[in-house]
Amino acid sequence: MACPTGYKILNEEWRLSVNRTEKAELIETLQATFNASTTIVVTHQVGLTVAESGELRLKMREAGAGFKVTKNRIAKLALKDTRYEDLDSLFTGPTAIGTSQDPVAAAKTLVEFAKTNTKLTIIGGSIDGKVLDKSGVEALAKLPSLDELRGKLVGLLQAPAGKLARVAQAPAGKLARVIKAREDQLQSS
């Protein structure tokens, strides 16, 4: 028995409205991700297995970054009114994006993964709205991350303090050895 025509139309309208609502939510979520990110890396991924995709997502999370496969139309709509609006021309083909608040994390992780897996190709990206081509993203990936820079800075700050402590202790140590030597000398005579 066929459904009444009115029911079919109503059902189709309901499906479309849910679909539109879902798309609006996706766009809003993606736009919030773009606004919260310092760096966006656009990639093409063709034929990544579920395991490879899972491995990449895990590496991205460990680096403090995110990785999302998205429809180009939704990504282009989400880019509007963000500082990354100029990236819309990169969204063609099988696109996925890496995002991070750390200026280097997404680029570093995706470039390293792409070196070992030819199914992922870096297309371009942006750092704070400045569009980067593939070589720009690769150059960005070679820079130290914020955590690495912090570690180096702490090391640089601790090195002078350590040297100062050793220098300050050296005269006291020498004086103690001289006194001990003199005491030994007096006891032996």
Side-chain angles (χ1 to χ4, degrees):
M1 182 171 148
C3 292
T5 308
Y7 177 76
K8 235 181 191 176
I9 291 172
L10 181 63
N11 191 25
E12 184 67 21
E13 286 174 3
W14 179 81
R15 188 180 66 76
L16 287 175
S17 70
V18 169
N19 214 3
R20 286 185 186 136
T21 304
E22 288 174 358
K23 283 181 184 177
E25 288 173 1
L26 278 172
I27 291 166
E28 191 176 309
T29 302
L30 196 53
Q31 194 169 47
T33 301
F34 290 152
N35 285 327
S37 299
T38 302
T39 303
I40 295 177
V41 179
V42 181
T43 66
H44 278 176
Q45 52 89 29
V46 180
L48 276 179
T49 65
V50 172
E52 291 168 330
S53 182
E55 176 189 349
L56 175 57
R57 288 175 198 275
L58 177 65
K59 287 181 180 182
M60 291 291 282
R61 272 193 305 275
E62 288 172 351
F67 182 74
K68 184 167 184 63
V69 176
T70 183
K71 292 187 175 195
N72 293 328
R73 180 161 166 58
I74 291 185
K76 287 179 180 183
L77 289 171
L79 285 169
K80 288 185 179 174
D81 300 325
T82 69
R83 62 185 180 266
Y84 302 108
E85 208 165 352
D86 293 337
L87 290 178
D88 68 345
S89 64
L90 299 179
F91 286 88
T92 59
T95 308
I97 53 170
T99 58
S100 67
Q101 291 179 349
D102 181 324
V104 180
K108 187 178 289 276
T109 306
L110 288 169
V111 167
E112 286 175 12
F113 188 85
K115 285 180 185 176
T116 60
N117 193 322
T118 58
K119 297 174 187 173
L120 184 78
T121 308
I122 306 296
I123 302 303
S126 179
I127 182 167
D128 273 334
K130 183 178 185 291
V131 177
L132 304 171
D133 59 1
K134 180 181 179 179
S135 61
V137 172
E138 289 170 346
L140 182 62
K142 292 177 184 174
L143 296 175
S145 70
L146 281 177
D147 286 339
E148 292 169 338
L149 286 174
R150 286 181 186 125
K152 287 180 181 181
L153 183 59
V154 167
L156 288 173
L157 292 174
Q158 285 179 342
K163 288 179 184 175
L164 181 61
R166 284 191 296 278
V167 168
Q169 288 174 351
K174 286 181 184 177
L175 180 61
R177 283 191 296 276
V178 168
I179 291 171
K180 178 70 174 150
R182 180 68 176 146
E183 180 184 321
D184 290 345
Q185 189 180 41
L186 289 174
Q187 284 178 356
S188 65
S189 44

